[in-house]
Amino acid sequence: MKRKLVFVATIHRNAERMFPAILRMADTHDIVVVCAGQVSANTDYEANRFTKILNKHTHLISEVYNSPPITSLGGLAHSKFRNQCIDIFKKKIEHKKTDIVVLDDSRDKVGLTELYRLCKKHGVPVVANSHGNEDKKRWNAVLTTGHNRFFDKLFVFGPKERDNLKEETKKDFFLLGGIPDNDCVKDLVRSNEYILVVVNFIMPAHKRDKWYLYDEKTLERMRLKELQEKIKKPVLFKLKHRFGHDLTPEITRLEKAIPEGLAYNIISEVENDFKLIEPAACVLSYGSTMCFKSIQAGIPTVIFEKLGDIGNFDDYYAKVKMGDDYFDFILNERKYEDQRVDFLERTVTGGVMNNASNLYASILYDVIEEGKK
C-alpha cells in the first residue's frame, strides 16, 4: 500500500509552480491535496486556476480537502478560519501513513504551526517553497522566518538565492528546486504577436516606498510608443489579479495613463502563463517570478527597476532603469544568448535544460529517505 505525500496549497500562483513535480510522485505515493483560503474550491475567486489543474489530474490525486471559504485576505487572520484549517490537518491527514508534507508557500496563513507540530510528533518532514522573487529587505519576514516553526527545509529558485540566504541566516536548510512548471517552455513555439507588459501596482493606495506606479509618467518612460514603432506589434497589458481587489478602477486608471495613439489591449485573466508568454515578441516587466518563464523560453525580457521587487534579477543583463534605452536586448536577442544561459545557470535550477520537475521530485525522495534515518 502506498504511503502519502500531502501538498498544502494556499495561493494558486505558488501551487502551480511546483505541482508538476508533485504529480511525478503519484507512481510511488498517494497524493493528498489540502486547498486552503483563496485556493479552496469553496472560495469565490475567478482567478484561481489551481482548481482546474486538480480537476484535470484527478487520476493522479488520491484525495482533495477544501477549507471553508474566505471573502477577503482579512479572513485568513480570523481564528475561526485557522481553527477550521487545523481541523483538516488533525482529522483528515493520516500522519502515521505520510512520508512528507509540502507547502506551496514560505508564510503561515492557515495554521501551519499546528500542522508542523503534528508532523514532528510523527516524524514527518515538512518542506516549504519560496513565496516568490523577493528583495533582501524581505528575506527574513517572507522566506526564512518559518524555519523550525512550520517547515524544516525551504525550496529556493537556484544557487544564487541559496547562497544569499545561507549568508544571511548562517544556516543551510535550502533545497534547489527551480520552477517545475516552467519545464513546459520546451514545447513553446514563439509567434511574436505582441509586446507583453506585465503590470504591478497602479493605484496610489498600493504604492510602496521608492517604487513607481504604472502611471502616465512611467508608461512614457518605458518608451512603449518608440518600441511599437520599431517592431510593429500591439501592446498587451497584463494586470495581476490579487484576491479581494476590484480591478475595474485599476483598468480605468491604467487606460487614462496609456500614451495616446498606442495600439493596445488589457487583460487580467489567462488560462495559464504559458499561453500568455507563447505569443509574446518580448516582455517588459518588474521583477515578477513569471519572467523566469519567458527568459527560459528565450523570449527577450526586460526588467525595469523600481516597479517592484528585483530580488534574483539583481545581476540580470537586461535589468534597466526607467528611461534607459533597452531596445537592443529585443532587436538583437541572439547577441545576449550566452548571458541568458549564464543567468539561468546561476538563478534557476533546471532553467537551462527545463528539467526542474525531475530534479525537484528527486530531492523530495532524498528528504523522505533522510527522514527515515
Side-chain angles (χ1 to χ4, degrees), residues 221-281:
R221 295 173 71 194
M222 289 178 77
R223 305 173 67 176
L224 297 177
K225 286 193 72 174
E226 289 180 65
L227 179 61
Q228 187 166 84
E229 289 170 1
K230 286 181 179 293
I231 67 173
K232 311 299 182 186
K233 308 288 182 184
V235 173
L236 180 66
F237 292 97
K238 168 61 173 67
L239 273 62
K240 185 174 184 177
H241 203 301
R242 292 177 169 90
F243 183 73
H245 286 196
D246 179 7
L247 285 178
T248 303
E250 296 196 15
I251 293 172
T252 300
R253 192 176 185 90
L254 179 63
E255 286 180 325
K256 291 180 180 179
I258 291 172
E260 186 176 350
L262 188 76
Y264 72 92
N265 287 297
I266 298 174
I267 63 170
S268 61
E269 293 181 41
V270 290
E271 182 177 339
N272 55 57
D273 293 340
F274 179 92
K275 291 191 175 181
L276 176 65
I277 68 165
E278 186 173 38

Side-chain angles (χ1 to χ4, degrees), residues 118-352:
L118 293 167
C119 288
K120 290 294 96 182
K121 180 179 177 181
H122 294 94
V124 180
V126 180
V127 175
N129 284 269
S130 169
H131 173 67
N133 182 51
E134 300 288 342
D135 282 342
K136 182 176 181 178
K137 62 184 178 182
R138 285 162 51 86
W139 286 351
N140 179 57
V142 176
L143 300 181
T144 62
T145 191
H147 180 233
N148 288 337
R149 291 179 55 243
F150 56 89
F151 64 78
D152 300 304
K153 295 181 182 294
L154 177 68
F155 272 109
V156 296
F157 294 130
K160 179 173 62 182
E161 186 174 31
R162 175 201 58 194
D163 294 347
N164 286 338
L165 292 175
K166 281 175 64 175
E167 183 176 350
E168 179 79 5
T169 62
K170 310 304 179 188
K171 298 177 182 178
D172 185 6
F173 51 89
F174 307 104
L175 307 172
L176 300 181
I179 306 175
D181 187 55
N182 286 8
D183 291 351
C184 65
V185 303
K186 63 179 177 291
D187 300 319
L188 182 144
V189 179
R190 291 176 60 183
S191 54
N192 299 318
E193 297 172 23
Y194 50 67
I195 300 164
L196 176 60
V197 176
V198 183
V199 179
N200 199 7
F201 294 117
I202 299 171
M203 306 302 287
H206 302 151
K207 187 178 186 299
R208 293 189 189 174
D209 185 40
K210 297 181 181 179
W211 285 7
Y212 300 127
L213 294 173
Y214 280 69
D215 56 17
E216 183 175 359
K217 185 176 180 180
T218 293
L219 297 186
E220 181 181 333
R221 295 173 71 194
M222 289 178 77
R223 305 173 67 176
L224 297 177
K225 286 193 72 174
E226 289 180 65
L227 179 61
Q228 187 166 84
E229 289 170 1
K230 286 181 179 293
I231 67 173
K232 311 299 182 186
K233 308 288 182 184
V235 173
L236 180 66
F237 292 97
K238 168 61 173 67
L239 273 62
K240 185 174 184 177
H241 203 301
R242 292 177 169 90
F243 183 73
H245 286 196
D246 179 7
L247 285 178
T248 303
E250 296 196 15
I251 293 172
T252 300
R253 192 176 185 90
L254 179 63
E255 286 180 325
K256 291 180 180 179
I258 291 172
E260 186 176 350
L262 188 76
Y264 72 92
N265 287 297
I266 298 174
I267 63 170
S268 61
E269 293 181 41
V270 290
E271 182 177 339
N272 55 57
D273 293 340
F274 179 92
K275 291 191 175 181
L276 176 65
I277 68 165
E278 186 173 38
C282 60
V283 178
L284 310 181
S285 180
Y286 64 102
S288 169
T289 306
M290 187 184 73
C291 289
F292 293 124
K293 188 181 259 92
S294 57
I295 295 169
Q296 285 183 230
I299 297 171
T301 302
V302 176
I303 303 297
F304 288 88
E305 296 180 358
K306 297 188 177 180
L307 288 178
D309 285 315
I310 290 296
N312 288 288
F313 294 100
D314 59 343
D315 60 353
Y316 180 55
Y317 63 93
K319 173 176 68 73
V320 301
K321 292 181 171 60
M322 198 62 65
D324 282 356
D325 182 352
Y326 59 86
F327 297 154
D328 196 56
F329 297 121
I330 296 168
L331 301 176
N332 295 298
E333 58 182 274
R334 290 186 181 179
K335 175 177 165 183
Y336 300 96
E337 178 60 13
D338 288 346
Q339 293 180 65
R340 184 186 74 86
V341 172
D342 287 347
F343 171 77
L344 288 172
E345 287 179 339
R346 294 192 304 273
T347 312
V348 185
T349 296
V352 176

